[in-house]
Structure formats: C-alpha cells, structure tokens
Amino acid sequence: MLIAALVTAALFGVVFLTREPRYRTPRRLGIGTTVSVAAAAAVPGTMGPCGFADESTPVDHVLFFALMLTSSWIALIVTRAIFDRSDGASPDTSAMTGEIRSGGFRTKPWVPWLLLSPTLVILIVFLYTPAVQTFTLGTKLARLGAPNSIDVCLSNFSELLIVDPVRLVAYPLVAVAAVYATSWWRRATSKETWSHRLAEVASTLSVLGIFVALWAIFSPGGDGQVAYRPVYVTTLIITIGTVATGMIGGLAIAYLAFRNIRGGGVYRTLLIWPYAISPTVAGILFFMIFDPTAGIFQYLAEVWFGVDVPNYRESAILAQAAIILASGWKILGYNILFYLAGLQTVPTSQVEAAVIDGASAWQRFTKIVLPSLSPITFFLLVTNLTYAFFEIYATIDFMTKGAPAGKTSVAIYEIIRVGVNNGDLGRGAAQSVLLFVAVIGVTLWQFRTSGERVTYGGAT
Amino acid sequence: MRSRLRLFSLFAALGLVVAACGGGATEGTEAPADAPADAGAADGADGEVTTIGFWVAFSDEARLGFTKERAAEFNAKYPEYNIEVTSFASYNDVFDAAVLAVDSGEPPGIIHFFEAATRQALDAVGADGQPIFKSVTEAIGGRTEILGEPVILDDVVDAAKNYYTVNGSFYSMPWNTSSAIMFSNTDMLEAAGVMEIPETWAEVEAACEKVMAMPGAPAACITWPNHSWFVEQSLGQQGELLANNDNGRSGRATEVYLTSEGMIDYVSWWKDMADKGYYTYTGVQRDWDGTANAFLAQEVAMLIYSSSDTTFLTNSGKEAGFDVKASFMPYNGEREYVGNLIGGATLWLLNGMDKKAEDGALAFMNFFSNPENAAEWHRITGYIPITKSAEALLEQEGWYDESPNSRVASEQLAAAKNTPASLGALLGNFVAIRDIITIAIEDILVNDLDVAERMAQANEEANKSLAEYEALFGG
C-alpha cells in the first residue's frame, strides 16, 4: 500500500507540473517527481508507516494517504516557486497595489533573508513549531503527569469521521468537482444570458455542497466513534450567526452614525465600547441579562408584557441565539470602527452624482457605498471569522457551558473541554489541528473568491 | 466540592502546546523584607527564609481569605518559613500548573487537589519519572509533632480518613470536606402542608405534589446541580459500586458500571421528577450558582447541594426572609441505605523537597487544620470539621445549638456504613468519566431519551476512557 501511495505521489507530481508548458522539460519533470515522492515518503519516514499497518482501519489508510499527498503538494508548490524564480517570473501583484511592477534591489542575495529573519524567527517559534508539535501530540494518547504516551497514529483524527472509507473519499471529491464544474460553466457562458444566471446559482449552491460534504463525513457518533457532526453543525450555526450579526449590525449602525448629527462624535466613540470589553465580560453581561432566575430580561418581560420567558439554556435555538447575540454584540464595536473609517473613503462625488441622477437612498447604498466598502468588508470577514472560531470560548463558558446537550459547544469549546478540562491532550490536539486546517481552508477560499469581487478603487 | 470551572482565558487551538512553556511558578528564595532572620528559630535554621508555595483552587474572598490569614499566622509564628499562597481558578488548573512546574524545576510545596482526582495524583509522575507527590504519612514518618505542631492525622474523622486512605496510609492531608445534603425552605413546605421534611425519593415526590398544587406555587419544587458527584452519592446510598475491584480500593479499577440497577433507578427517578415539572434543570452542567440562586429566590422549595455552603445558604435564606433547614440527602426508600460519601479536596505534598522545606510544609499542613483552624473553617463555610477535636471544640462552644444545620453533614457521614460503595471510587480518568455521566444526564433531561439506552452508551464511553487511562498509567 505504501508503494502504491508513493507511485500516486509521483504521478501527482507529473500531473501538477504538466499543466503549464514552462515546466514540461524532462529535467523539471524529473525534479518535480523526485520532490513529490520524497515529500510523500517523508510522512512515513518521520512517523512510521503506521497508517497502513494491519491494525489500522480503512479510514486511517485514507487519512494517511491524504497526508502524504498534502506533503507532496506543499513541496510541489515550493518547487514551482523556485522554478518561477529562476525563470525571472514574479507573481502579478499589480491587481492588488495598482502600481508599477516592482523591480529588484541591487543587493547581495542574503540581504532579503537577513531583513526577513526577525519575522521568520517569530513564525517558526510561535507558529510552525507549535503547529508541528500539536500535530505530533494529536497522534498520541497522552496525559499530563503520565509516565509515557502511546502512539495511536491517526486514530484521534479518524474517530471523528465516518467509518466508510468510500463515502469519506467520495463526498468531498464530488463537492469539489461540482465547484470546479460550475465555475467553469459560469465562465463558459456569456453574461446577461439565462444560462449564465443559472450557472451562477449553481456555483453558489456548489459551495454550499462543500459544507454538506463536510457534514456528511463527520461521524454522527456510535461505532466507538466520537460524535463530531453535532459539533460541526453547532460551529457552523454560531459562526455564521455571529459574523452575520456583527457585520450587518456593524454596517447598519456605522451608516447611521456616520450621518451629520448633533454630537455625532460622542455617539461614534461610545459605539466602539463593546470592543474594549473582553469576551469574558460579554459573557457575564449577557448572563446577567438573560439569566432565568436573576436576569433583567426575564424580569422586564414578566413585568411589562406578562410573558414568562423560557429558560434559554434548555432550548437549542434560544441558547444559540443568545450566544450569537452576545458574541455578535461584542465584535460590533470593532466592525463599526472599521466601517466608520471605510465610509469616509466613499467618493462623495459619485454619491452626489447619483443624487442628481435621482437614485434613491437605498440605491445609493447598494450601488455605491457597499462596493466602495468591499475591501473593508473582506478584511472584516476574515477577522470576524477568526474571532468567531477562536474567541467566543469565554462567552459560551459563562452563558451556557455548551448546554443544552452540546448545542452551543463549538469546536473551540470542545477542544478545551476535551484537551484541558478532561486532560486528554492527544484528542484535544487532534481537534485543534482540525480547527487550524478549517481556518486555513476558509481563509484560502475567501482570498480566492472574495478577491475577485473586492475593488480597491483606482483604475476602474 | 465546588469545582466551578472558571475562566480559562483563551487557549487558542495551538495554545494547548505553547502552554507547556509557562509554568507560572512563584517560588522564590529571597527573604521578604519584613521577615527578620531569627537566630533562635527551631530546627537549627541557618537564618535563611524558606519559601514554600501553597497553590489553592479557591478564588473567593471567604475561602481564599481564610487561607491567606492562616498562612500569614504561620509565617509570623515561624519566621524562617514563608508560606506563599497562590490562587488558581480550578483544581485542574492547580494540578496542570504543578505538573508543569515540577518539570520546569520550580514546583510549589503544597497543592490543593480534589477527591475525584486522587488516583490521578497518586499516578502522576514528572518528566524524570519520579512521582509528583509524596505520601504525607511517609513524610511524617511516625512523628507526633513537627516543629512543635501536633500531627493531626490520627484525629481525622472517619469518613475522610477512610476515603483518603490508600494502601493503608494517608497520601494527602484532608482539608475541605463536605457531603451532599438537602436544604429545605420550611416556610414554603409548611405553606403547602408538608410538615415533615421528606427523607426518601417517594416522600420528596409526595411533598412536591403538594408544593406544586398549592396556590402561588413556585416555578418548580426541587433542584440540584447536574454534577456527577450527586450520582456518586446516590450510588453510595444504594450500596452500588461505581467501579470494579471494590470501587478501585482493593486493586486498580479497570471497569466502571454506569448501567447498574442503582444508577438506572436514580437517573430514572431524576428524569421522572423533571418530566413532572417537580425538578427544574437550570440548563447548565455543574451549575452551583444557578441552583443556589433558584433556591434563594424561592423558585424552588428544596435544594440538594454541597454542605460546603451551609453557612451561606442558611444566612442568605434568613436575609431573604425564610427558614432554611438542612437534612440528609433523600435516598431510595426501596433499598437499604448504605451511606453517603464525602467530597472536597486535600493538600498534597510535593516530592523532592529538602528536609527543611518538607518539614515546614508538613508543619503548616498540621497547623492549617489544627482544632481551632478547622473549627473556624467549618464555621465560615460549612465544610465538616475535619478532626474529632475540632468537632468537640465546636460542641463545647455551643456552635451546633446555635446553627443546627451545620451538624447535618457530619452526622450524615457518620451514619454511613464503611463499605467500598459508600467510600466512593478511586478511579483513573475520573474527571473525564464524570463529564461523560454529566453529559449523558443532560442529554436525558433535555432530549427526553431512554435512560437505559443512553447510560449504556455512556458506559461504553467511560470504559473506553478508563481503558486508555490504564494503558497509560497502569502498566
């Protein structure tokens, strides 16, 4: 099985490089294939071919194989960059900066490395090393204070997934194929035609297909597997809810506060305050507001409206809504701050021209203001997602502790519950690698898709 | 027993590993300016002040304050020692920090760690393979006093002694010890026509029927935190083992029983009470604050809780204008009552200290729970007086006549038969297994699941967890 995997890696290297004619020289193909195989072999080389061992499950085989190919892929990207460099081609950055293509400085080759070294050291010490260590820890059964740890290969990962290897491979492949197919369809059709509109709808749906595929490959529990599918669903709901609440609310309030009103400066300053509060305090505040026994909300609802509000922690929808509200409110100030800054860059001439042309306020907002804000929106999307993924632990811990029955236990909460509170370091590490990969995936995807629709002003 | 999991500010995903770098050790050898080198100090001190870190899992004013005051008194009495109290948010935090501090070479002298993790503490070793903790009995080595402080081990009340005795000796020094008892709002019960405080499950149910039927009935009748500790208490009452090998006391526990008859009966009763609207679930696991608030806000008539807050609950009830009466935790009337168990924590002595530091730590431990201090600790909290002398002292002072509620926990523990079931389990991965039990019960209460089926699933998970622990530590 190991041999088959290495042969696949070799083929992968060839396929990867033959896509562009520049790389189709025998020498480069040779180098690429060797690098690809070597990188793939590095995986069993460092951790042993445990994923293909007899006692491992088919899912382990799949994961191990995927790990080897990922290693090849990263190595090939690096190789390609080196080829590009020797060809003198540099990545096209003009779209981002709108400036002239940069030339080279006349320096010794080591000077850039010297200048980069502080950043590189920080990245290596605080990002890459811990990432590798976390992954290593994720392949172990380990506890603090234990005399030793036990290698469990990839079982900490595979126990989060469904047990059927065929479906495990098929679902993501189908989803990714759908995304490529629809985007090709979109490009192949000409604008303003029905088939193009249809293609756009299909391409949006195919992105949703990826989320569905991920839903399908996480284990619903049973068969000795960890029920990770509910965690995935919860994370999705709370993350999307938080980001949507925070960004739409932030933009709406910023737009209102931006208008010329008396004392506008004071409003604008006060609006930023929630950002200065830590997630913990946000948790306590909302805990005090919504607490079923001592809460203000409960009391007011009863006194003013005579409504007996149910305990939000017992209903999945209410609990999730409360968490979304609290964490969305917390990030609101941050979003307002950036949107206020962004609104100042909206070209007034265009707005005035639109007024003269008789555009309504809503048209001006959607056709001029929103597109001008797209770089800010894109930036906020990334930071808000990161916030929703990593920083709402304290809010959840104070408000619901994951209740009811795990319906507000998002990925980061689950990691701390398993890895820190229960002391199961290996599983905690494995789940945190998963979250790490998810964040990388979401960010890459954002850069690819949002990048097309973001305008940074300038030439156009 | 209130292991409220407080704030772990964010460990981001990768932080799990990075954290291994920070031990947070507070040890220092320099003398504080106000501690004069006392040439005449006992034990032939060389005039240098020995600092001993004491890491405590309490952060509230009353309990941390008590600890700091005792440490200050000890430091004044023994100028050659400096007991330095550091507060942590939870027992787990203390333990993790201590293990990491041992590995980085700056450990504290004493740490405060809870009963359920006794097995884990016994098994813990540092990076060098040496045990993290040292048996207190062994360190005392038969002495009856250390630096003039009388050793209190022989005086410890039976319930705590039996729980913490492993292989015939104390490994750790008992401190905060409680039991699960019931608090009743007698005004409300009387208004509903319940004159006798219910003692069995059936009586509680009958009382609840009356309470809920009265005009102006509260939101619910009874509550208690969804904490595995109450499940364990109930198993003890029913004489049911939680784990094999006599609850892990005649050998290492290698199997847990979450599907025993006593377990199913208890959880079924719990669910039944919830279904009838008698029991109210606050919706949060291990919710000590929420349940106590519901009781004090008179939203329920009865509260099953830790005796550690007897003083607080009694006084707060009085302030809110109702009488609070403590009684034994209700038991299953259809089975013979065997006994409730303790909860709480002990003080663990770190391994590898030099003789002078170790004696200082031992002297402090004994000073800390001497009769006066143990009695004071009981009065301000409700944790049981840990020694017989402290009990006698309180009796003599007339404390129990003044506050009869405070006697209940001690009496309940004294009433227990000394069997493995009522001692409670010594179990590896107990914290994770407790978590599994708590989650299963929440699932049953919130999602209306079949008790036997869900507990069977929990049993499978718990046994897997235990097997993994034994694979790491048992070999």
Side-chain angles (χ1 to χ4, degrees), chain A residues 126-127 130-131 133-134 137 141-150 159 224 226 279-280 291-294 311 313-314 390-394 397-407 412 415-417 419-422 424-425 427-429 432 435-436, chain B residues 5-14 16-18 92-93 95-97 99-100 103 120 123-126 132 280-287 289-290 293-294 297 299 429 431-433 435-436 439 442-443 446-447 457 460 464-465 468-469 471-473:
Chain A
F126 292 109
L127 185 63
Q133 280 181 335
T134 306
L137 192 58
L141 178 61
R143 298 185 69 86
L144 216 51
N148 45 42
S149 60
I150 297 171
E159 71 180 6
V226 174
T280 319
D291 188 66
T293 22
N311 182 352
R313 301 190 197 105
E314 281 188 40
F390 291 112
E391 287 178 41
I392 60 176
Y393 170 80
D397 196 42
F398 261 97
M399 290 185 68
T400 62
K401 294 201 169 22
K407 285 294 188 312
I412 186 75
I415 288 168
I416 294 176
R417 185 181 75 80
V420 181
N421 297 348
N422 289 348
D424 195 339
L425 298 178
R427 287 200 175 84
S432 70
L435 185 59
F436 184 60
Chain B
L5 298 170
R6 269 290 153 82
L7 253 255
F8 257 99
S9 269
L10 298 178
F11 268 65
L14 294 168
L16 260 175
V17 173
V18 184
N92 282 334
D93 283 9
F95 179 78
D96 291 354
V99 172
L100 295 170
D103 291 349
Q120 185 186 347
D123 290 340
V125 295
I132 302 271
T280 181
Y281 183 41
T282 60
V284 175
Q285 299 168 13
R286 297 172 281 268
D287 190 7
D289 292 343
N293 287 342
E299 294 195 350
N429 249 2
V431 180
I433 291 171
D435 200 36
I436 290 168
I439 289 173
E442 180 170 86
D443 221 359
V446 174
N447 293 331
Q457 188 194 328
E460 202 177 298
K464 186 178 168 200
S465 188
E468 286 175 357
Y469 181 90
L472 279 178
F473 290 92

Side-chain angles (χ1 to χ4, degrees), chain B residues 4 9 13 37 48 106 108 154 167 177 226 236-237 272 309 337 342 351 354 362 368 408 442 444 448 453 456:
Chain B
R4 277 177 288 177
S9 269
E48 217 172 276
E106 291 181 48
D154 290 338
N167 304 332
T177 304
N226 174 16
Q237 289 182 329
D272 191 40
D309 286 86
Y337 175 84
I342 64 155
N351 199 5
D354 65 35
L362 288 171
F368 194 56
V408 174
E442 180 170 86
I444 289 167
D448 199 26
E453 220 169 87

Side-chain angles (χ1 to χ4, degrees), chain A residues 275-442:
Chain A
Y275 180 55
I277 290 171
S278 80
T280 319
V281 179
I284 298 173
L285 281 176
F286 279 83
F287 173 83
M288 298 298 274
I289 294 172
F290 290 118
D291 188 66
T293 22
I296 301 157
F297 182 72
Q298 183 91 358
Y299 175 77
L300 292 181
E302 214 170 303
V303 173
W304 288 352
F305 305 109
V307 185
D308 194 16
V309 184
N311 182 352
Y312 72 91
R313 301 190 197 105
E314 281 188 40
S315 140
I317 294 173
L318 288 181
Q320 286 167 348
I323 297 289
I324 288 171
L325 197 64
S327 38
W329 173 81
K330 163 77 188 79
I331 192 80
L332 206 58
Y334 181 79
N335 293 342
I336 291 172
L337 187 66
F338 276 90
Y339 273 130
L340 277 177
L343 283 168
Q344 290 169 8
T345 66
V346 175
T348 31
S349 55
Q350 286 184 18
V351 179
E352 279 160 7
V355 173
I356 293 165
D357 288 346
S360 70
W362 179 247
Q363 282 172 328
R364 294 197 301 267
F365 179 72
T366 52
K367 302 283 181 193
I368 299 169
V369 178
L370 267 188
S372 318
L373 287 175
S374 61
I376 303 265
T377 304
F378 174 54
F379 165 77
L380 287 178
L381 196 61
V382 177
T383 48
N384 277 237
L385 270 174
T386 317
Y387 162 80
F389 270 135
F390 291 112
E391 287 178 41
I392 60 176
Y393 170 80
T395 309
I396 293 175
D397 196 42
F398 261 97
M399 290 185 68
T400 62
K401 294 201 169 22
K407 285 294 188 312
T408 55
S409 188
V410 297
I412 186 75
Y413 195 82
E414 201 61 14
I415 288 168
I416 294 176
R417 185 181 75 80
V418 170
V420 181
N421 297 348
N422 289 348
D424 195 339
L425 298 178
R427 287 200 175 84
Q431 289 193 12
S432 70
V433 169
L434 199 67
L435 185 59
F436 184 60
V437 171
V439 172
I440 291 178
V442 168

Side-chain angles (χ1 to χ4, degrees), chain A residues 73-141:
Chain A
W73 183 52
I74 294 170
L76 283 168
I77 289 175
V78 175
T79 317
R80 190 176 59 180
I82 293 169
F83 289 161
D84 286 348
R85 198 182 143 80
S86 67
D87 288 351
S90 67
D92 184 17
T93 56
S94 57
M96 289 281 275
T97 58
E99 285 165 8
I100 43 167
R101 191 161 291 188
S102 57
F105 289 104
R106 286 169 206 280
T107 55
K108 297 253 167 21
W110 50 264
V111 173
W113 290 106
L114 181 74
L115 296 174
L116 279 173
S117 62
T119 313
L120 286 177
V121 166
I122 288 173
L123 282 176
I124 288 169
V125 172
F126 292 109
L127 185 63
Y128 300 136
T129 316
V132 171
Q133 280 181 335
T134 306
F135 178 76
T136 317
L137 192 58
T139 63
K140 291 181 193 310
L141 178 61

